[in-house]
Amino acid sequence: MRIVILAATALLLGTVALPASSAADPRPETLTLTTAGTPPRSAPAGAPGCTPADANVSLTPSLDDSGKDVQRIIKRGKLIAGIDTNSYLWGFRNPATGQLAGFDIDLVHALAKSILGNADDVEFLSVPTADRISALQSGEVDVVVRTMTISCDREQQVAFSSPYFDAGQEVLVPDSSSVTGYNATLKGKRVCAATGSTAIAFLQQKSYGSTIVPVENQLDCLVLMQLGTVDATITDNALGAGQVAQDPTIHLVGGLMDSETYGVAMKLGENDLVRRVNAVLDQFRADQWDSEYRTWLLGAMGASSGPPTVTYAG
């Protein structure tokens, strides 16, 4: 299969100690990596009365492969997955092996193995944060597995699986910073966040007198902090922990600003695929989640209470 290498969007200025791969041997690189380019669309208002707990409710799992959306993937012979290639520990290219690696990458392989019988029957599409929804709406990808927070607003645009990871927004700053969290200490500071992220929505709602610096990918915020171009970053604590692991001169401050969960996103209305993905996630949470957490995240995030609680309806 043809291999298209994605040009790096940012250069890390520090060194990284890579965690061991969760696989016994490196996977053969038989995957196509391209870049999504559909313009982002604006988000509509969330469903009236929807709460975060409501948003986490997904469709009952099913192993039935006869639905049209699952059949589309089976007949094609590969799963097209929108991912991140710039989030250390979640979705990144291991410089030692040249292979894509991370918690989300392993989850995509689990989906492909269950639906297609081969974990490597995947085409990975690198999707910027702001293009995750439009990549699904346009049909460029079957799924987005990219630390994507489930929310009421987003559920008006895409369908979500049951949650697979608990997270929350947090402030990331250099060790010398006077910023203590998402509060008045941000006044006059330049704060970085990815376009289309939950973080930038926080800042747009209340900036505390800071200047918002939007970027395409979270890794760009780390580089801008290293260069002194921005004073702070707001991002998911799970992504922030990966950036701290890349650069020990920065740290998270102030505690979590909210509580959120990550889900696999699919095109709105593709209910048979949602049910099929939920069946894979049930097995992933039961049999693989703890091992994945130990491999990728334990060193950066510490002990975990386990995967999120799951609720199904319909």
Side-chain angles (χ1 to χ4, degrees):
M1 184 178 293
R2 181 173 60 96
I3 300 174
V4 181
I5 304 298
L6 178 69
T9 59
L11 175 65
L12 291 178
L13 305 182
T15 58
V16 176
L18 296 171
S21 171
S22 58
D25 297 302
R27 293 184 182 275
E29 187 67 30
T30 57
L31 310 172
T32 299
L33 181 60
T34 55
T35 306
T38 305
R41 304 181 186 180
S42 58
C50 178
T51 68
D54 296 330
N56 281 330
V57 177
S58 190
L59 296 173
T60 303
S62 172
L63 290 170
D64 182 3
D65 286 338
S66 65
K68 64 180 179 61
D69 303 306
V70 176
Q71 277 296 306
R72 179 188 71 244
I73 296 167
I74 292 173
K75 290 176 182 177
R76 185 198 299 134
K78 64 180 177 181
L79 176 70
I80 303 176
I83 58 157
D84 194 354
T85 57
N86 293 305
S87 290
Y88 181 55
L89 305 179
W90 289 95
F92 68 105
R93 188 172 287 280
N94 186 327
T97 65
Q99 306 297 313
L100 291 171
F103 191 102
D104 279 347
I105 301 302
D106 287 348
L107 176 51
V108 172
H109 284 301
L111 293 172
K113 182 173 178 59
S114 179
I115 295 172
L116 295 166
N118 186 339
D120 292 319
D121 285 343
V122 181
E123 179 179 331
F124 286 111
L125 190 71
S126 179
V127 181
T129 303
D131 293 342
R132 293 176 297 188
I133 289 172
S134 59
L136 288 165
Q137 292 174 331
S138 67
E140 288 182 271
V141 298
D142 301 311
V143 295
V144 167
V145 186
R146 195 188 182 285
T147 58
M148 190 168 180
T149 299
I150 301 169
S151 74
C152 293
D153 286 354
R154 288 173 177 166
E155 285 196 333
Q156 303 304 298
Q157 304 172 87
V158 297
F160 277 105
S161 71
S162 55
Y164 67 87
F165 199 86
D166 290 314
Q169 297 297 305
E170 200 161 0
V171 180
L172 185 67
V173 296
D175 289 343
S176 59
S177 176
S178 60
V179 173
T180 61
Y182 182 60
N183 54 39
T185 60
L186 291 174
K187 185 176 181 179
K189 305 296 185 183
R190 296 157 299 176
V191 184
C192 188
T195 301
S197 68
T198 306
I200 209 160
F202 263 99
L203 286 167
Q204 289 169 342
Q205 183 176 11
K206 189 170 186 177
S207 67
Y208 284 105
S210 64
T211 298
I212 304 171
V213 180
V215 296
E216 188 174 76
N217 289 301
Q218 285 294 339
L219 184 66
D220 299 332
C221 287
L222 174 57
V223 175
L224 291 179
M225 280 200 302
Q226 291 173 326
L227 295 173
T229 305
V230 300
D231 304 298
T233 293
I234 296 182
T235 186
D236 301 356
N237 67 320
L239 294 174
Q243 294 188 19
V244 171
Q246 289 174 287
D247 185 348
T249 68
I250 60 175
H251 64 286
L252 293 160
V253 294
L256 296 183
M257 297 156 51
D258 67 349
S259 178
E260 56 192 53
T261 54
Y262 298 154
V264 177
M266 290 150 279
K267 190 173 185 177
L268 199 63
E270 295 190 347
N271 292 348
D272 66 294
L273 181 57
V274 173
R275 295 181 189 279
R276 188 65 176 85
V277 168
N278 281 344
V280 181
L281 284 175
D282 272 358
Q283 184 174 5
F284 184 87
R285 283 185 294 260
D287 301 335
Q288 194 174 341
W289 195 97
D290 286 340
S291 174
E292 294 290 341
Y293 187 90
R294 288 193 301 272
T295 297
W296 298 112
L297 302 170
L298 179 62
M301 300 189 70
S304 168
S305 57
T309 301
V310 174
T311 303
Y312 295 118

